[in-house]
């Protein structure tokens, strides 16, 4: 793989994704194993957990897309808030305090879960690239959401310890959330945290450290949130794994083990298929069928935990889309595992939409659905030629979206099939590349070289 400079290759942790069938059951402890120098954790799709199987396909799609819209709105608010809470004095005071410690919107839109070890116990957590802090529910719990695994009991772990409020980790937490980094505290006092979610969900507790286990790879002194008051639709999981770009995220805390590199490949099917999440830069764990192409991460001290790239163009069916939005700031985009549908600034979306409508003019249009305003009636058709969708990034990297990531099937009889893209509210909003458009791609996040890579990969192996 291309690198900005020579460095030791970190071991890889290969995390397998197994999708649950729609309306599937609850959360179970997922397997882990070592495999040819890689560490393997099983991951499962979380979107359908807790649905109970009683809702129609359209009702479930409407709920998922509404949650996705809430997440997009939350991410926009967070992007806009960093410049307001980060003063020059605070930035100079601590290199650890780069972003506010908050999370995304409803967690039902964060689609993948994994089981990790915490202090000798196990916790199945939601994986999210836009979250900075890992947290799990802990005893004694004042108010906890239902989870299928036993609550983590700090008293049963000899390696557990609360983080004191005058520690550097707590300073990072304080400054990131807009509090004064120089606030006095007594040594014995524990560092408290409070994460707020846009839908009213929350997690509150104390910052702590303990042993984190990833399929036998032990991370001593891993800092996480021990939540004793947690509310929200977390689908029976134990908490959240933060993979964001921040000092308290799992990626930053495991730099020694995994070199600040992780990647994933999301399968194209929504049931009965598998993909992988790899911690480390061991490319032998990949199954890519095309060379990896890289684009630089946008380096902005106010960008928060997000992985941003410069989106320079889009082509539909081989036709380049022309829009002033690419050159007026609308091309800076977040690559996100938790958002489903890709959202574009209005001017870029309008141009992409117009080209799709032109190329699909032979098919009757159907009513819009939720955040998807461009839909077609494909009833009775056995085959449809779907225009290709290609994304172009700074540095010349081009990525073709898998055909399954172009259209979103609302109705099982194909009477309502929609373009799987949405418009943001303002030209000033930040575009988001959602996971629906990342299917069958190996997406590599290399924080050490500050670059993101893409390659075609069939994500249906175990």
């Amino acid at each position: 793989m291309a690198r900005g400079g020579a460095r030791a290759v970190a071991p890889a942790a290969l995390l397998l994704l197994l999708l649950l069938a729609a309306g599937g059951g609850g959360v179970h402890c997922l397997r882990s194993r070592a495999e040819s120098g890689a560490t393997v954790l099983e991951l499962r799709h979380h979107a359908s957990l807790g649905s109970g199987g009683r809702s129609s396909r359209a009702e479930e799609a409407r709920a998922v897309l509404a949650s996705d819209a809430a997440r997009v709105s939350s991410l926009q608010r967070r992007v806009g808030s960093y410049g307001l809470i980060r003063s020059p004095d605070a930035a100079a005071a601590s290199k650890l305090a780069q972003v506010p410690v908050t999370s995304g919107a409803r967690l039902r839109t964060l689609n993948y879960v994994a089981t990790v070890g915490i202090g000798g116990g196990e916790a199945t957590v939601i994986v999210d690239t836009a979250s900075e802090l890992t947290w799990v529910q802990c005893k004694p719990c004042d108010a906890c959401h239902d989870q299928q695994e036993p609550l983590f009991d700090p008293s049963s772990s000899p390696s557990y310890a609360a983080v004191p409020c005058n520690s550097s980790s707590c300073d990072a937490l304080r400054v990131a959330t807009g509090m004064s980094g120089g606030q006095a505290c007594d040594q014995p006092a524990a560092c408290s945290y409070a994460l707020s979610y846009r839908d009213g969900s929350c997690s509150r507790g104390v910052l702590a450290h303990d042993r984190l286990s990833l399929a036998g790879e032990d991370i001593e002194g891993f800092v996480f949130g021990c939540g004793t008051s947690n509310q929200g639709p977390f689908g029976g999981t134990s908490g959240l794994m933060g993979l964001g770009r921040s000092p308290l995220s799992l990626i930053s805390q495991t730099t020694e083990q995994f070199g600040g590199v992780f990647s994933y490949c999301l399968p194209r099917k929504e049931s009965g298929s598998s993909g992988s999440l790899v911690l480390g830069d061991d490319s032998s764990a990949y199954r890519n069928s095309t060379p990896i192409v890289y684009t630089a991460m946008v380096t902005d001290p106010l960008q928060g935990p997000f992985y941003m790239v410069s989106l320079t163009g889009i082509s539909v069916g081989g036709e380049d889309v022309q829009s002033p939005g690419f050159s007026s700031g609308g091309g800076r985009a977040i690559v996100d595992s938790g958002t489903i549908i890709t959202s574009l600034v209005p001017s870029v979306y309008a141009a992409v939409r117009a080209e799709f409508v032109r190329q699909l003019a032979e098919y009757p249009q159907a009513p819009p659905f939720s955040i998807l305003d461009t839909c077609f009636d494909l009833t009775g058709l056995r085959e449809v030629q779907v225009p290709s969708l290609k994304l172009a990034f700074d540095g010349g990297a081009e990525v073709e979206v898998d055909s399954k990531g172009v259209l979103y099937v609302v109705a099982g009889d194909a009477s309502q099939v929609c373009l799987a893209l949405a418009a943001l509210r303002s030209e000033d909003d930040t575009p988001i590349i959602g996971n629906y458009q990342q299917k069958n791609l190996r997406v590599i996040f290399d924080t050490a070289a500050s670059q993101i890579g893409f390659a075609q990969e069939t994500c249906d192996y175990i």
Side-chain angles (χ1 to χ4, degrees), residues 71 124 189 290 424 434:
R71 178 178 174 85
T124 299
T290 63
L424 294 164

Side-chain angles (χ1 to χ4, degrees), residues 57 377-381 409-417:
R57 181 188 184 100
D377 183 352
L378 305 181
T379 305
L381 298 177
V409 180
V410 175
D413 62 358
S415 61
Q416 198 172 22
V417 179

Side-chain angles (χ1 to χ4, degrees), residues 164-341:
C165 65
N166 61 353
S167 66
S168 59
S169 294
C170 195
D171 285 343
L173 185 67
R174 283 198 205 98
V175 178
T177 52
M179 298 171 60
S180 171
Q183 183 175 335
C185 75
D186 296 326
Q187 173 67 30
C191 177
S192 61
Y193 79 92
L195 307 181
S196 297
Y197 300 81
R198 189 174 178 84
D199 67 341
S201 303
C202 63
S203 176
R204 299 183 180 91
V206 297
L207 209 60
H209 56 79
D210 205 335
R211 180 184 299 111
L212 173 72
S213 297
L214 299 170
E217 182 79 32
D218 288 341
I219 315 298
E220 301 292 343
F222 180 75
V223 177
F224 67 103
C226 192
T228 55
S229 179
N230 317 285
Q231 298 178 8
F234 299 117
T237 62
S238 298
L240 180 83
M241 178 194 291
L243 292 176
R245 200 178 182 187
S246 73
L248 294 180
S249 74
L250 184 145
I251 295 304
S252 295
Q253 293 192 62
T254 59
T255 299
E256 182 178 341
Q257 291 80 12
F258 304 123
V261 180
F262 73 97
S263 69
Y264 54 66
C265 187
L266 307 180
R268 69 196 319 231
K269 295 182 181 180
E270 295 186 359
S271 63
S273 59
S274 61
S276 64
L277 171 64
V278 179
L279 293 177
D281 64 356
D282 185 353
S283 60
S284 66
Y286 307 160
R287 302 292 185 270
N288 54 299
S289 57
T290 63
I292 301 169
V293 293
Y294 285 95
T295 185
M297 291 184 189
V298 174
T299 55
D300 183 347
L302 302 180
Q303 72 182 29
F306 309 121
Y307 296 98
M308 288 189 178
V309 294
S310 292
L311 180 66
T312 58
I314 296 177
S315 66
V316 177
E319 297 291 331
D320 290 339
V321 170
Q322 303 299 320
S323 171
F326 290 118
S327 58
S328 62
R332 189 181 72 164
I334 297 171
V335 181
D336 185 31
S337 70
T339 301
I340 299 173
I341 300 297

Side-chain angles (χ1 to χ4, degrees), residues 15 26 159 251 312 333 342 426:
L15 314 182
S159 52
I251 295 304
T312 58
T342 291
S426 166

Side-chain angles (χ1 to χ4, degrees), residues 77-114:
R77 184 178 63 175
R78 292 170 65 195
V79 169
S81 70
Y82 296 127
L84 298 176
I85 69 171
R86 292 283 295 135
S87 69
D89 290 341
S94 174
K95 66 179 181 180
L96 297 178
Q98 299 297 320
V99 296
V101 180
T102 58
S103 190
R106 298 189 181 193
L107 290 181
R108 66 186 298 172
T109 65
L110 311 181
N111 294 309
Y112 305 98
V113 297

